[in-house]
Amino acid sequence: MAGANQTCIFCQILHDPNSTTRLLHTDEKVVAFQDIKPAARRHYLVIPKEHIPTVRDLQRRDEDYSLVSHMLSVGQELLQKDAPQTIHRFGFHQPPFNSVDHLHLHCFALPFMPRWKVVKYMSLGPFGGFIEAQKLLEKIRPLPSKV
């Protein structure tokens, strides 16, 4: 498992040929699958094939911005296809609130089920919590190069 963390459940899903997880999408950069404990009508995860522990490991560089943009695009396509008439929400947990140390985008077709699950996916401002995908993209957008 080159580039993988052998104790990471998501790396195991990616690299174990006997995994029973049904992939909804796969390409050269990411895979997507249903969350094992869905918190909404539709709840998918999009993960990079490369093991990146958390949003804190992302920087203001083209490759990180491109990866997160691609993850969001995949999530949007999946939900538009599977739940086109619902409100969609996309974001990441920030440490220490992430349950798996492998970057993963939560893709929701709302409403949350049960309703109290919304609490698990709220921003806690300077304390972290959940960060919307667009807000993360703003934070890691590469700065214009000075010529």
Side-chain angles (χ1 to χ4, degrees):
M1 290 199 311
N5 178 329
Q6 295 190 350
T7 61
C8 171
I9 187 68
F10 290 167
C11 286
Q12 291 171 18
I13 288 170
L14 281 166
H15 300 286
D16 181 357
N18 300 317
S19 173
T20 58
T21 302
R22 188 172 76 89
L23 301 181
L24 304 171
H25 173 91
T26 185
D27 63 33
E28 68 284 348
K29 290 184 178 183
V30 302
V31 299
F33 49 89
Q34 184 168 318
D35 192 297
I36 196 167
K37 294 180 183 171
R41 187 169 148 219
R42 295 277 190 285
H43 184 174
Y44 302 146
L45 300 178
V46 180
I47 67 169
K49 288 185 172 180
E50 176 187 351
H51 182 83
I52 300 169
T54 74
V55 294
R56 289 198 180 141
D57 296 286
L58 300 172
Q59 298 175 19
R60 281 187 179 272
R61 55 184 180 202
D62 291 337
E63 56 267 30
D64 289 350
Y65 186 83
S66 174
L67 175 64
V68 173
S69 294
H70 181 63
M71 292 171 73
L72 179 57
S73 175
V74 167
Q76 289 170 330
E77 285 177 28
L78 286 170
L79 288 182
Q80 191 57 42
K81 182 179 73 170
D82 294 347
Q85 303 300 321
T86 61
I87 296 171
H88 301 158
R89 189 160 171 227
F90 305 91
F92 300 84
H93 280 112
Q94 300 175 91
F97 299 99
N98 53 311
S99 57
V100 177
D101 279 337
H102 187 122
L103 186 68
H104 54 284
L105 172 66
H106 289 270
C107 307
F108 301 106
L110 300 178
F112 285 107
M113 297 177 359
R115 280 204 146 107
W116 62 263
K117 287 274 189 173
V118 69
V119 173
K120 188 175 176 184
Y121 301 96
M122 292 176 65
S123 171
L124 300 176
F127 303 108
F130 194 75
I131 184 169
E132 298 288 335
Q134 287 296 345
K135 192 169 235 26
L136 177 62
L137 283 168
E138 290 168 21
K139 282 179 73 170
I140 65 170
R141 182 183 314 275
L143 298 171
S145 54
K146 296 176 182 172
V147 180

